Amino acid sequence: MSNKTLTRMDLAEAVHAEVGLSRNDSADLVESILTHVSDALAAGETVKISSFGTFAVRDKAARVGRNPKTGEEVPIHPRRVLTFRPSHLMKDKVAAGNKA
């Protein structure tokens, strides 16, 4: 398994290579897309990207947790969390990558 991390600059370079935009325009395009996605999620919207997956925001209720070391009960406050559900195509592609 590779330890490579895909960065914004990698995405911008891929847009530059595939589409032919300048490097600055490619970086601006990637930044704009990521801003739109993050703004939508911050507003509580669901973001669906075909053949990739679905990002959604969930509201988790308050609950009582335990400190595993002491056993002391600790209140866990309500919060919003980001979830990602990959599409079946993405799951298949990732699974096929493990076989190589």
Side-chain angles (χ1 to χ4, degrees):
M1 185 155 86
S2 170
N3 288 331
K4 175 94 172 85
T5 300
L6 184 66
T7 64
R8 290 173 192 240
M9 285 309 300
D10 294 335
L11 292 172
E13 191 61 36
V15 169
H16 169 70
E18 292 286 326
V19 179
L21 292 174
S22 71
R23 282 187 168 81
N24 283 341
D25 288 345
S26 297
D28 291 344
L29 178 64
V30 169
E31 193 61 38
S32 176
I33 291 169
L34 294 175
T35 299
H36 277 56
V37 169
S38 61
D39 288 349
L41 291 169
E45 297 177 35
T46 297
V47 176
K48 291 184 181 185
I49 301 173
S50 179
S51 302
F52 187 77
T54 303
F55 295 91
V57 177
R58 284 186 43 212
D59 291 315
K60 296 189 92 176
R63 62 186 176 92
V64 176
R66 289 198 194 288
N67 179 333
K69 193 169 189 177
T70 64
E72 176 186 357
E73 288 189 352
V74 179
I76 298 174
H77 302 290
R79 62 201 187 281
R80 294 173 73 192
V81 296
L82 178 64
T83 61
F84 174 71
R85 260 188 83 102
S87 70
H88 291 292
L89 292 173
M90 179 60 71
K91 286 181 183 180
D92 293 344
K93 190 170 191 173
V94 170
N98 289 339
K99 295 175 186 173

